Each structure stands twice: as structure tokens, then as C-alpha cells.
Amino acid sequence: MTISPIRRGTESISGAICLLTDLTELAALQQRMQLKENLAALGELSAGIAHEFKNALATISGYAQLIPEASEKDASEYAGRILRQTRDITHVVAEFLKYARPLEIPEDTVTLKTVVERVAAEVGEALPHVKIRFEGTFGRWRETRDY
């Protein structure tokens, strides 16, 4: 909503014009743009992961092809390099899954007093020259404590 005063010359305000604008379409457009940006970011991430996989698989394939004709020492080295590449791929997948999986927030009940005490204790340890005092009602408890 936009409101503009109506004046004639230097006279006082004799009225107002009120303009109502439906922003539903604009909000929907903003949501679509955000979705496109998210999909573009996901596409870039997927391309990066595919590139990592392609490189790792090429390395694994190359060393695997060398093993049949290699000496026992070389074959052992090639197997180690294959193992290292598989671990790298596993790490990439694990990191992607951490990113892709929604954050799980436990719904445990925590008393405010416990949280405040912990924060005060940690800040007191990190900054021993700073005096910390908290007081107030924490559920059923009324407390004052200095750290």
C-alpha cells in the first residue's frame, strides 16, 4: 500500500491517494527465481561431483589394468593407489550426503539454567580475566552466580 498526500500548491493536505498493489505475482516470481538459483547451485555441485568421480574412476581403471603384468611390489603399490582413490570417492559421497540431508534437530527438553551455566563456564574458561554474573528465574529456580 502506498499513500500520497493531495495538495494544491502550498495549501495544507486536502486528501490522500491510496494505492493498493497485489504483490502475489511478485512473491511467486521471487519464489521461482529462488528455486532456479537453488537448482543452478545443485547443478554446479552435481557437475563437480561427477568430475571427481570421473577422475577417480579413470585412475582406478588405469591402475587396475597395470596390475596383471606388474611385479608383486608394483601390484601392491597400484592396489594401494586404488584403495586411496576409493577412499577419496567415499569421502566426496559422505560430504555430499551431509550437505543434502536436512539438519536433524533433536527435540529434547533442556533447562535454561543448564544452558546458561554451561555458557558462563565456557566463557569464563576462555576469558578468565572477564567477570561473568548471571541471575534470574530459570524455570523453578531463582539463582545468582558469579564466574
Side-chain angles (χ1 to χ4, degrees):
M1 176 166 62
T2 305
I3 299 176
S4 299
I6 298 175
R7 293 183 183 170
R8 289 188 182 178
T10 58
E11 294 179 20
S12 63
I13 298 173
S14 61
I17 295 176
C18 181
L19 176 63
L20 299 174
T21 307
D22 184 1
L23 299 177
T24 306
E25 226 175 279
L26 179 60
L29 179 61
Q30 287 175 328
Q31 286 179 338
R32 285 195 305 270
M33 290 297 295
Q34 183 64 46
L35 178 61
K36 285 182 181 181
E37 288 174 13
N38 290 348
L39 289 174
L42 182 60
E44 285 182 38
L45 183 62
S46 298
I49 291 171
H51 181 74
E52 290 294 322
F53 268 62
K54 184 178 177 184
N55 288 345
L57 289 172
T59 301
I60 290 169
S61 177
Y63 284 123
Q65 291 172 27
L66 293 173
I67 288 176
E69 298 172 11
S71 67
E72 191 173 314
K73 180 183 174 208
D74 287 343
S76 177
E77 182 183 331
Y78 298 155
R81 291 182 182 181
I82 289 171
L83 183 60
R84 189 167 39 250
Q85 287 295 317
T86 58
R87 285 183 182 146
D88 289 348
I89 290 174
T90 301
H91 176 73
V92 168
V93 170
E95 290 300 309
F96 176 72
L97 290 176
K98 278 188 211 174
Y99 174 78
R101 207 173 282 138
L103 180 63
E104 292 181 24
I105 300 174
E107 295 184 19
D108 297 338
T109 302
V110 178
T111 61
L112 180 59
K113 178 184 174 193
T114 305
V115 173
V116 171
E117 285 177 340
R118 185 170 156 199
V119 168
E122 288 181 14
V123 170
E125 287 175 17
L127 304 168
H129 59 284
V130 175
K131 292 282 186 195
I132 299 171
R133 176 184 171 100
F134 68 86
E135 64 180 272
T137 304
F138 301 94
R140 293 177 289 187
W141 302 277
R142 170 105 183 129
E143 185 151 348
T144 300
R145 191 175 295 181
D146 295 317
Y147 281 86

